[in-house]
Amino acid sequence: MEQTGQALPATIQRIWRASAALWALVLMIIGLGLIAAWFFWHWPFWLGLGLIGIAIIQLLFRLALVPYRYRFWRYNITPTAVFLQKGFFFQKNEAIPISRIQNVTLEAGPLLQWQTLQQVNIETASTAHVIDGVTRPVADQLRNQILQLAQEARDED
């Protein structure tokens, strides 16, 4: 598969790892709560152990996929469309026509703010597409570029 477009900044990998760890922590806490329920109310013990096992497996799986996810995530903006490219084995190539774009918003939750990144949300009438995380100056530039191209496309119609 041909790699075209811009890659995400390398710091996005920290966000993906931290997100995987937080999800595992939440699942483990719930699993411990189920073990406590076994102790106090005689719920099935396997529920708690099973959830803790699932938490560990999903953590290992998601951590193993971070380099793969980073390697094959690309975006490209042209005068006619925004292209998003993900994956190698399970390829997903999206083309969002500039003329269909209605809104571009920037978001930054606590993990993205920790790494001074922002998520770019591109919205059309029927769908929303996301560029996972780029630096703040790049996010501002992308928003302005996409909105300007969208305005020019509407003016041509």
Side-chain angles (χ1 to χ4, degrees), residues 101-133:
I101 294 174
Q102 293 183 337
N103 194 23
V104 179
T105 57
L106 305 178
E107 291 182 13
L111 290 178
L112 288 172
Q113 288 180 26
W114 167 55
Q115 292 297 313
T116 61
L117 298 176
Q118 288 188 325
Q119 176 178 302
V120 180
N121 299 318
I122 303 166
E123 301 167 14
T124 65
S126 60
T127 59
H129 305 273
V130 176
I131 299 174
D132 280 351

Side-chain angles (χ1 to χ4, degrees), residues 3 7 14 19 55-56 64 71 96 107 110 120 128 132 146 151 157:
Q3 292 289 316
R14 289 185 194 146
S19 175
I56 292 169
R71 171 76 173 91
I96 309 151
E107 291 182 13
V120 180
D132 280 351
I146 293 168
Q151 183 62 44
D157 290 341

Side-chain angles (χ1 to χ4, degrees), residues 16-32:
W16 292 337
R17 288 186 192 106
S19 175
L22 286 174
W23 273 110
L25 180 64
V26 167
L27 290 176
M28 286 184 188
I29 289 171
I30 294 170
L32 291 173

Side-chain angles (χ1 to χ4, degrees), residues 21 30 32 49 72 77 89 91 101 118 121 128-129 137 145 148 153:
I30 294 170
L32 291 173
L49 284 182
F72 295 104
I77 299 169
F89 294 111
Q91 295 178 11
I101 294 174
Q118 288 188 325
N121 299 318
H129 305 273
Q145 180 183 5
Q148 180 183 359

